[in-house]
Amino acid sequence: MNTIVTQDVELAAATLKEGGLVAFPTETVFGLGASAFQPNAVSRIFQAKNRPQDNPLIVHIAHRNQIAEVCEVIPEAARVLIDAFFPGPLTLVVPAAPTLPSVVTASLGTVGIRMPDHDVANAFLRACGEPVAAPSANRSGRPSPTTWEAVMDDLDGRVDVILRGDASRVGLESTVVDCTGKEPIILRPGSISLEDLKMVHPGTRMSDAADVVSHRSPGTRHRHYRPEADVVVVSSPSKTEGRSGYAYIGLESPEKGLYDGPIRVPGDVSTYARDLFHFFRTCEKAGINRIECQRVGLEGMGRALMDRLQRAASPE
Ligand code: AMP
Ligand code: MG
């Protein structure tokens, strides 16, 4: 398959409506979209990414009135969060419309919905005129793509169109919140933090082991975010001579000469989060063996950053 890279939103939307796969920029990471109501097209997403079938996709919309097309009822908790945070980097899990293909929802009976806060994404979704099912546009298990070049590296020849756009400004995937129970439960932390959600819905909590056992969020079971280098979470940069092929990212600057690979010292946690996956891919291209990532506190977006670092680092 010949992958077309374009800025033409109409061409991208026409391709999607014909059953094609379109990668598109959003504020979180780049997504890989197919028409949510064309099961064959949605199946092609799983093939292109080599994604396990039990990992549901997020349905992306441009208007609030599209929610009714994919969702059976909008729970009260979801209404409150929609009013506060849509459009934005937040995915709400709600009861799925019976007409929504089971390949989108991994037969869970629920659907994750999101309205991106991104000009190109919204222009594309408006031109599609229908809900778009989309996971991140990377090969399964790899770091999510935050640039169109990263999409190209993973999916060239496997998707029909890559809609070009600038690098993603958040750089981590959306916060996923289960709104099917009494209180909202965070299934995946993101840039909209526990603290942000509690301001609007004080009962919001993080998911715990019992929730995972009840299979609320199948995707969190799978291997995630791993570059072709070992990722190690460290408390502070190395103080001793490292072996060759070491890289470092963290808020604290390392002493000179201790890392011979790429070094990145972001000014704050948001910038650290924004740059992390891109840094992983830069290190891969440089043939790095080991990436040391400094831990951060769990306040605000720190929780999401630590979640991704720990998943990238955990042993096979
Ligand atoms: P990705 O966009 O690649 O991060 O994949 C979408 C993620 O959204 C999945 O891995 C799930 O964790 C989450 N998700 C989507 N739909 C649902 C759902 N119905 N229930 C629980 N989690 C969901
Ligand atoms: Mg993903």
Side-chain angles (χ1 to χ4, degrees):
M1 182 194 305
N2 201 5
T3 299
I4 298 169
V5 179
T6 181
Q7 301 198 40
D8 185 343
V9 164
E10 296 297 333
L11 171 69
T15 304
L16 180 128
K17 286 192 256 188
E18 285 162 16
L21 298 189
V22 177
F24 61 100
T26 82
E27 78 277 33
T28 57
V29 301
F30 280 63
L32 178 58
S35 166
F37 285 98
Q38 295 187 43
N40 290 339
V42 175
S43 294
R44 290 184 54 213
I45 294 179
F46 288 84
Q47 287 159 19
K49 284 181 56 97
N50 200 12
R51 182 178 176 95
Q53 291 286 341
D54 66 353
N55 198 353
L57 308 182
I58 293 170
V59 174
H60 293 71
I61 55 174
H63 306 282
R64 285 187 193 203
N65 56 20
Q66 288 178 303
I67 297 173
E69 292 176 41
V70 293
C71 156
E72 196 175 34
V73 286
I74 308 177
E76 185 49 34
R79 270 180 211 288
V80 174
L81 298 180
I82 287 167
D83 283 342
F85 297 110
F86 273 26
L90 179 67
T91 297
L92 299 178
V93 173
V94 296
T99 49
L100 195 64
S102 58
V103 62
V104 175
T105 63
S107 305
L108 288 171
T110 56
V111 59
I113 51 171
R114 181 165 111 79
M115 190 189 298
D117 179 17
H118 189 279
D119 290 348
V120 178
N122 290 351
F124 167 63
L125 293 170
R126 275 197 304 274
C128 291
E130 55 178 310
V132 172
S136 52
N138 52 288
R139 296 270 192 129
S140 202
R142 304 222 343 105
S144 295
T146 55
T147 62
W148 68 266
E149 292 95 334
V151 178
M152 196 74 180
D153 286 344
D154 273 20
L155 298 177
D156 188 19
R158 295 178 155 250
V159 304
D160 299 290
V161 168
I162 297 174
L163 189 54
R164 274 179 73 155
D166 294 337
S168 300
R169 67 172 181 270
V170 175
L172 298 184
E173 306 79 359
S174 59
T175 309
V176 178
V177 178
D178 182 351
C179 293
T180 61
K182 270 201 204 115
E183 307 285 12
I185 299 174
I186 299 178
L187 302 178
R188 176 175 74 185
S191 68
I192 294 186
S193 65
L194 175 63
E195 294 89 332
D196 295 332
L197 291 160
K198 279 187 158 198
M199 300 252 275
V200 176
H201 203 305
T204 309
R205 66 171 174 87
M206 290 299 302
S207 65
D208 55 29
D211 300 317
V212 175
V213 168
S214 72
H215 302 294
R216 277 207 163 110
S217 190
T220 55
R221 282 202 305 274
H222 298 291
R223 177 185 189 278
H224 264 107
Y225 318 126
R226 304 258 180 87
E228 287 164 19
D230 291 335
V231 172
V232 181
V233 181
V234 297
S235 302
S236 54
S238 174
K239 301 279 185 283
T240 57
E241 297 279 305
R243 278 173 285 148
S244 66
Y246 276 37
Y248 172 82
I249 183 168
L251 298 179
E252 193 183 327
S253 298
E255 286 169 34
K256 287 221 157 33
L258 297 181
Y259 292 89
D260 63 349
I263 294 173
R264 176 103 183 90
V265 184
D268 54 43
V269 170
S270 302
T271 312
Y272 189 169
R274 185 194 70 193
D275 293 350
L276 181 73
F277 290 145
H278 184 67
F279 186 75
F280 281 178
R281 286 173 179 268
T282 303
C283 290
E284 272 184 341
K285 290 199 164 139
I288 293 303
N289 300 318
R290 175 177 161 113
I291 308 171
E292 297 194 341
C293 305
Q294 188 181 23
R295 71 174 73 255
V296 298
L298 291 181
E299 316 74 55
M301 199 173 176
R303 188 183 294 275
L305 178 55
M306 283 308 297
D307 171 75
R308 304 311 190 275
L309 288 179
Q310 274 151 359
R311 288 177 198 280
S314 60
E316 294 282 54

